[in-house]
Amino acid sequence: MDVRSLGLENPLFSSIQHLMDDPEEMEKAFNAPMRIFVRDAKAMASTPADIKEYPNSYSFIIDMPGLKSGDIKGHVEDDNVLVISGERKREDERDAKYIRMERRVGKFMRKFPLPDNADTNAISAVCQDGVLTVTVQKLPPPEPKKPRVIEVNVA
């Protein structure tokens, strides 16, 4: 049915008609990613990080210019995923007008799967000069199993 035949010339109705005429477009519209997912994906992609391995630890180095420690959160989820998140807010100056805004504001988040030998109970974080360094200690290697001696009796 053509909605235009009902006298509905509103642009909204013509968009609906376009979706109804093209099943592929309708499929795309209903399966489009949710805004929250897209926002979180952008936040993750725009938070660069370096990861270093040392003999006894791992270090996650993330640039966080202009953030205070209260703006940054960190936790471990699912026993092996380090999550760093927070939000950079724009200063509210009522008498200023922006001529150009290039610095990124908004939420950020990164998830790092931790190796099996990461000690999730020994994690520390320091933010200095706009650089966050999260250090995750390594678990000591398991001690090699000693062979069990079986005593042989003579019959």
Side-chain angles (χ1 to χ4, degrees):
M1 174 197 304
D2 190 355
V3 292
R4 291 178 290 261
S5 65
L6 299 174
L8 303 172
E9 297 298 327
N10 186 316
L12 172 67
F13 292 115
S14 63
S15 296
I16 293 171
Q17 180 65 44
H18 173 71
L19 287 174
M20 291 171 66
D21 289 342
D22 188 354
E24 287 181 22
E25 285 294 322
M26 192 163 192
E27 181 74 18
K28 284 181 193 176
F30 284 112
N31 290 326
M34 295 175 45
R35 285 183 186 199
I36 293 170
F37 174 79
V38 171
R39 183 195 66 212
D40 289 348
K42 285 180 182 177
M44 290 179 70
S46 60
T47 306
D50 294 337
I51 303 171
K52 295 181 184 178
E53 181 178 5
Y54 295 100
N56 296 321
S57 65
Y58 297 97
S59 286
F60 299 83
I61 300 109
I62 307 165
D63 289 338
M64 305 251 170
L67 289 176
K68 298 175 181 75
S69 61
D71 297 332
I72 305 167
K73 297 175 180 76
H75 67 276
V76 176
E77 66 183 24
D78 299 331
D79 293 329
N80 71 339
V81 178
L82 174 66
V83 180
I84 306 296
S85 62
E87 184 171 7
R88 182 176 291 118
K89 298 176 184 172
R90 177 101 38 219
E91 293 130 16
D92 186 24
E93 296 181 48
R94 299 199 189 286
D95 58 339
K97 180 178 104 177
Y98 280 97
I99 297 171
R100 175 178 236 134
M101 288 178 29
E102 293 183 356
R103 296 183 314 144
R104 189 184 168 293
V105 295
K107 294 185 179 187
F108 63 88
M109 175 181 56
R110 282 300 300 265
K111 292 184 179 187
F112 304 98
L114 296 172
D116 292 336
N117 66 342
D119 186 355
T120 57
N121 295 316
I123 299 176
S124 60
V126 174
C127 190
Q128 182 177 353
D129 298 330
V131 178
L132 175 69
T133 302
V134 179
T135 303
V136 180
Q137 297 298 320
K138 289 183 178 179
L139 292 168
E143 294 196 23
K145 293 185 178 182
K146 295 179 182 175
R148 198 172 94 193
V149 178
I150 300 171
E151 190 175 317
V152 178
N153 295 322
V154 178

